[in-house]
Amino acid sequence: MEKRKLSFWQIWNMSFGFLGIQFGFALQGGFMSRIFQTLGADVDSIPGLWIAAPLTGLLVQPIIGYLSDNTWSPKFGRRKPYFLIGAILASTTLFFMPHSPVLWIAAGLLWVLDSSINISMEPFRALVADKLPESQRSNGFVVQTLIIGIGTWIASNLPWLVNKLGVSNEADAGVIPPSVVVAFSIGGFVFITSIIYTLVTTKEDPPVDLEKFLSEKKENRFVTDLVASLKDMPSTMKKLGLIQFFSWFAFFTMWSLSMPALTEHVYHSPKPDIKEYAKLDTDGKELKDENKNVLFLNESKETEYKSKDKVYNDAADLVGSATGIYGLSSMAFALLLSFYTLKNKINRKYIHMASLILGGIGFIFMYFATPSTLLYSFILIGLSWGSILSMPYAMLSSSVNPNKMGMMMGLFNMFIVIPQIIAALGGINFLYKLIGQAHINAMILAGLSLIIAGLCNFLITDKHAISG
């Protein structure tokens, strides 16, 4: 039975929760490395500190996808209970994250945060396929991308904005600046309220054959279904997986290393190493007084450190703001596509290919960028981001069993998290140093990876997946 078509605003309402999800992801992606550096991490150790995020996705998304496939409540729905559970956990973690006193607590909270965001996010992807007919799938994922773009832009600018409103971006050594603390608190509030908006405005439809659904639910077993789904993975899904591998390797590289790379190379304002200015113990750790304030070598060194740290924090705010441009660019891209796909079919394959290659060029241009031209890199990256968040899912949803949409979307996440795990375990550090020791070479690596992802679109041949 063909599902009824929904209006733009109905699609908007069912996707609005992604605003909060993206607030969480944008604050995590844009400012976790800043938090890690503030708490004493050196640049090459940062990708490893991110390892919890992709590992979490590898475990959580297939499980949540499976559970939501096999959930139905006339009162609570199918996907909505998972939206709410994830939102409560993520919002709480966002409030506590910038209060982390030491590095290992921040890394642990990143694990909790990413788990929680994944609990909310995975069912949102499946909801589009649940609610929309085939003819509206592209439009549904594009509207999600539009909302994601809005969330990315606003959240990435939050520390800069609250600083302009009078909240300081300076703090003692090893302490997260107040502007970042306030930004994460706002992110937590937006996360929970946007999810609640979708819960209130969107009604889920019961399974087409409820009796059959309930009968099959009793017989379903996670491991058995997981193995069967892996075995039955369509050829198009595997090819999309290769594209996703190189795409997400590139973006993980950006999230983990763009802050130190761009503050150093574009703004010439690296994070000062506290060990060069403070008194150290026999283990090489900075000494602190009874109030846990760092003891500096002398007053001159303290003044010099604070001056350089202020310049770094200003540069970090500007990098975060520039990063938000890719959200704005992806939003514009999604807005154009959403209006076009309301009445017209598109070639998903070639749109995705062109977008990824342009994003790759944007990353490589960072090597030559100045503070005034950096935004052009992020405009191009935004085109690839907008496509990554819509085209692969639109192609995938046309290729898999609709009764296993949550499970298949969860398995598809393997092709997102595996490259991030490889990157975090040393892949980034090894490969970018083949280009050169400077951290900006990590952005060149990201560009090359994204261009390879674009060219891999030539592998997609299924006409049903391509046209939408």
Side-chain angles (χ1 to χ4, degrees):
M1 183 178 72
E2 178 73 4
K3 300 181 179 75
R4 67 183 181 87
K5 288 190 174 184
L6 302 185
S7 69
F8 173 84
W9 289 111
Q10 287 174 310
I11 298 173
W12 174 273
N13 289 341
M14 65 184 273
S15 301
F16 190 76
F18 249 111
L19 180 72
I21 290 172
Q22 197 53 36
F23 260 71
F25 268 131
L27 290 169
Q28 172 183 300
F31 300 99
M32 276 311 304
S33 292
R34 179 178 178 178
I35 289 174
F36 288 152
Q37 278 192 287
T38 300
L39 295 174
D42 63 81
V43 174
D44 282 346
S45 71
I46 288 175
L49 292 168
W50 278 79
I51 188 66
L55 278 175
T56 296
L58 185 64
L59 296 171
V60 169
Q61 290 215 19
I63 294 171
I64 294 300
Y66 172 82
L67 291 174
S68 68
D69 278 345
N70 290 280
T71 295
W72 173 251
S73 163
K75 184 176 181 180
F76 299 109
R78 187 178 193 179
R79 315 290 183 186
K80 292 199 290 187
Y82 302 95
F83 301 168
L84 185 59
I85 292 169
I88 292 170
L89 292 172
S91 299
T92 303
T93 308
L94 283 167
F95 281 113
F96 284 106
M97 175 68 78
H99 296 283
S100 302
V102 291
L103 195 56
W104 69 267
I105 290 180
L109 286 175
L110 175 60
W111 176 77
V112 177
L113 177 61
D114 205 77
S115 300
S116 307
I117 295 174
N118 276 302
I119 290 170
S120 284
M121 184 180 71
E122 180 52 41
F124 260 103
R125 297 290 189 197
L127 183 65
V128 170
D130 290 347
K131 295 282 291 180
L132 296 179
E134 174 65 32
S135 60
Q136 284 193 304
R137 294 272 176 86
S138 290
N139 186 246
F141 287 114
V142 165
V143 171
Q144 280 192 353
T145 303
L146 172 62
I147 293 171
I148 288 170
I150 295 170
T152 301
W153 179 61
I154 297 173
S156 297
N157 278 284
L158 273 178
W160 171 84
L161 178 60
V162 297
N163 176 238
K164 292 299 179 185
L165 293 174
V167 180
S168 176
N169 69 351
E170 298 179 63
D172 292 333
V175 178
I176 313 301
S179 59
V180 177
V181 174
V182 172
F184 272 69
S185 298
I186 293 171
F189 175 77
V190 172
F191 199 122
I192 190 70
T193 53
S194 63
I195 292 288
I196 290 172
Y197 178 86
T198 286
L199 294 177
V200 171
T201 59
T202 301
K203 181 180 179 181
E204 289 194 82
D205 302 319
V208 175
D209 188 336
L210 187 55
E211 259 185 57
K212 183 181 178 183
F213 172 84
L214 295 174
S215 175
E216 290 178 347
K217 176 183 173 182
K218 292 178 182 178
E219 300 174 6
N220 286 341
R221 297 293 182 271
F222 175 70
V223 175
T224 304
D225 285 0
L226 177 65
V227 172
S229 297
L230 285 168
K231 185 179 178 182
D232 297 337
M233 190 180 293
S235 172
T236 297
M237 183 172 172
K238 295 174 185 176
K239 293 172 182 177
L240 285 168
L242 186 62
I243 298 167
Q244 292 288 83
F245 181 94
F246 288 105
S247 300
W248 286 86
F249 187 97
F251 273 87
F252 184 85
T253 301
M254 182 187 78
W255 293 326
S256 59
L257 288 183
S258 63
M259 182 64 75
L262 296 176
T263 51
E264 288 176 16
H265 185 78
V266 178
Y267 291 92
H268 308 291
S269 306
K271 177 74 175 176
D273 185 355
I274 187 64
K275 290 182 172 60
E276 296 178 10
Y277 303 88
K279 295 179 181 179
L280 305 177
D281 61 19
T282 53
D283 294 323
K285 295 181 180 179
E286 58 270 20
L287 294 171
K288 296 182 180 181
D289 62 20
E290 63 276 6
N291 296 319
K292 296 190 176 181
N293 295 317
V294 171
L295 295 172
F296 288 90
L297 291 169
N298 52 53
E299 189 175 332
S300 174
K301 286 291 185 180
E302 180 177 4
T303 301
E304 184 182 353
Y305 174 82
K306 289 184 176 179
S307 175
K308 288 184 176 180
D309 197 48
K310 171 69 167 66
V311 173
Y312 165 77
N313 281 316
D314 288 342
D317 283 350
L318 292 173
V319 170
S321 183
T323 302
I325 296 293
Y326 89 86
L328 197 61
S329 174
S330 68
M331 179 178 68
F333 173 81
L335 189 61
L336 290 173
L337 270 185
S338 65
F339 284 120
Y340 186 82
T341 54
L342 282 172
K343 295 183 179 179
N344 303 281
K345 289 193 172 185
I346 56 173
N347 188 305
R348 297 163 175 163
K349 168 181 172 176
Y350 287 119
I351 285 177
H352 197 41
M353 180 187 295
S355 301
L356 294 178
I357 291 173
L358 287 171
I361 293 170
F363 274 119
I364 293 170
F365 180 71
M366 286 179 174
Y367 185 86
F368 308 98
T370 65
S372 60
T373 62
L374 183 60
L375 64 94
Y376 298 115
S377 284
F378 282 111
I379 288 171
L380 292 176
I381 291 167
L383 299 179
S384 63
W385 184 237
S387 190
I388 286 169
L389 294 175
S390 54
M391 293 300 105
Y393 295 98
M395 288 190 270
L396 176 67
S397 67
S398 300
S399 310
V400 300
N401 180 351
N403 294 324
K404 292 188 174 183
M405 191 63 68
M407 170 68 88
M408 297 311 283
M409 289 285 184
L411 288 179
F412 193 54
N413 186 61
M414 289 191 310
F415 302 118
I416 293 174
V417 299
I418 289 174
Q420 295 182 64
I421 292 170
I422 292 171
L425 289 175
I428 294 175
N429 290 342
F430 174 76
L431 291 173
Y432 92 72
K433 287 178 181 178
L434 295 177
I435 304 171
Q437 292 294 314
H439 298 123
I440 192 62
N441 290 310
M443 300 301 100
I444 294 177
L445 172 64
L448 295 173
S449 183
L450 211 50
I451 290 171
I452 293 170
L455 295 175
C456 285
N457 277 272
F458 280 120
L459 298 173
I460 307 295
T461 56
D462 183 350
K463 293 181 180 178
H464 188 53
I466 290 169
S467 178

